[in-house]
Amino acid sequence: MADTANYIQDRFQTFMNGLGDRYEPYVREHLSKVYMVLGSTAAATAMGALLQMRDFLDLGVLAAVATLILVLGLHFYKDDGKNYYTRLGMLYAFGFCSGQTLGPLLGYICSINPAIILSALTGTFVTFISLSLAALLAEQGKYLYLGGMLVSVINTMALLSLFNMVFKSYFVQVTQLYVGVFVMAAFIVYDTQNIVEKCRNGNRDVVQHALDLFFDVLSMFRRLLIILTQKLKTFMV
């Protein structure tokens, strides 16, 4: 048992040394800040969802409107070196309102089987950690070419969604859910390497970079929730 623990410790130390050799200190520091802000934004999302589900606070449509206003505000209110905490507050508010909009879906799933939420959360967390490490350990800039392709896929999916509002094809709906999971997984890899490259080029906007990853994680979590719920309902039928 002790030998196994020592082996794991040695492998972990080797891994950390590998990251240390691969990335400059300021890049590692920037990534640490991004991941800390991402984690606290996810906590704000969980709080927003919990308050909505417990009927302590339900912003309803206002939450959806607020998320749109806040994300546009973060896009146009650029980092100038002096507005970090203002933009950080906007990001946390965006996370909280996103949780409010997610609350009704989580409440519905809880009425079916609460274990689905834990499964989707675990799947999202494991996928994010795995793909982030894969992106950081891969050749620098290796996956940046994915950016254009992924945007094209997202645009195509959005167009199909508009058409499907009229035709209401179940096949298209299910296909978009599964393709969407893979697209978000690819975005995690792309955004991770893109953040590193931007940092090296002087762009150290922690809030924007955390927002990019938050979009990926939230979108994947939402899709996994729907997929697992549909699978369970099919099995129950």
Side-chain angles (χ1 to χ4, degrees):
M1 195 72 176
D3 292 339
T4 302
N6 291 333
Y7 174 78
I8 294 175
Q9 183 178 0
D10 291 341
R11 297 303 297 175
F12 179 75
Q13 189 62 45
T14 301
F15 168 75
M16 295 304 297
N17 291 337
L19 284 182
D21 295 337
R22 184 181 293 265
Y23 295 103
E24 302 85 347
Y26 69 89
V27 174
R28 298 200 301 271
E29 180 182 0
H30 178 73
L31 288 173
S32 298
K33 291 179 179 179
V34 169
Y35 289 129
M36 284 191 292
V37 171
L38 174 62
S40 52
T41 305
T45 304
M47 180 61 67
L50 185 61
L51 291 178
Q52 195 282 333
M53 293 169 64
R54 298 294 184 182
D55 293 325
F56 289 133
L57 177 64
D58 187 356
L59 298 178
V61 179
L62 289 177
V65 174
T67 55
L68 178 60
I69 294 174
L70 287 166
V71 77
L72 289 175
L74 287 169
H75 177 73
F76 290 107
Y77 188 39
K78 300 292 186 182
D79 176 36
D80 60 7
K82 302 178 182 178
N83 58 359
Y84 171 76
Y85 289 104
T86 301
R87 299 179 76 247
L88 183 62
M90 293 171 65
L91 177 60
Y92 288 160
F94 173 75
F96 181 85
C97 291
S98 296
Q100 284 276 302
T101 62
L102 194 62
L105 175 61
L106 294 175
Y108 169 71
I109 293 173
C110 275
S111 67
I112 300 175
N113 188 348
I116 294 175
I117 298 176
L118 181 59
S119 297
L121 190 62
T122 303
T124 303
F125 179 77
V126 171
T127 302
F128 175 76
I129 295 297
S130 301
L131 293 178
S132 296
L133 290 176
L136 291 172
L137 293 174
E139 180 182 345
Q140 298 175 16
K142 179 179 180 180
Y143 297 108
L144 292 180
Y145 73 92
L146 291 174
M149 295 170 54
L150 292 174
V151 171
S152 298
V153 174
I154 289 292
N155 290 336
T156 302
M157 291 174 62
L159 187 61
L160 286 174
S161 295
L162 292 176
F163 280 114
N164 207 41
M165 292 175 65
V166 178
F167 298 105
K168 300 186 184 302
S169 169
Y170 178 75
F171 174 76
V172 172
Q173 178 188 358
V174 172
T175 301
Q176 283 195 313
L177 282 174
Y178 282 92
V179 171
V181 170
F182 287 105
V183 170
M184 290 306 114
F187 260 118
I188 291 173
V189 176
Y190 167 77
D191 283 332
T192 301
Q193 290 205 335
N194 194 36
I195 288 169
V196 172
E197 290 303 312
K198 285 182 176 180
C199 179
R200 285 174 170 156
N201 291 328
N203 182 348
R204 299 178 191 175
D205 187 351
V206 172
V207 173
Q208 182 60 53
H209 295 168
L211 177 61
D212 292 340
L213 292 175
F214 179 73
F215 270 132
D216 303 338
V217 172
L218 185 63
S219 298
M220 175 176 287
F221 178 59
R222 191 188 300 269
R223 285 174 168 82
L224 286 178
L225 282 174
I226 298 173
I227 289 172
L228 292 175
T229 302
Q230 289 183 342
K231 275 182 169 292
L232 180 62
K233 289 174 68 176
T234 302
F235 178 76
M236 291 172 63
V237 172

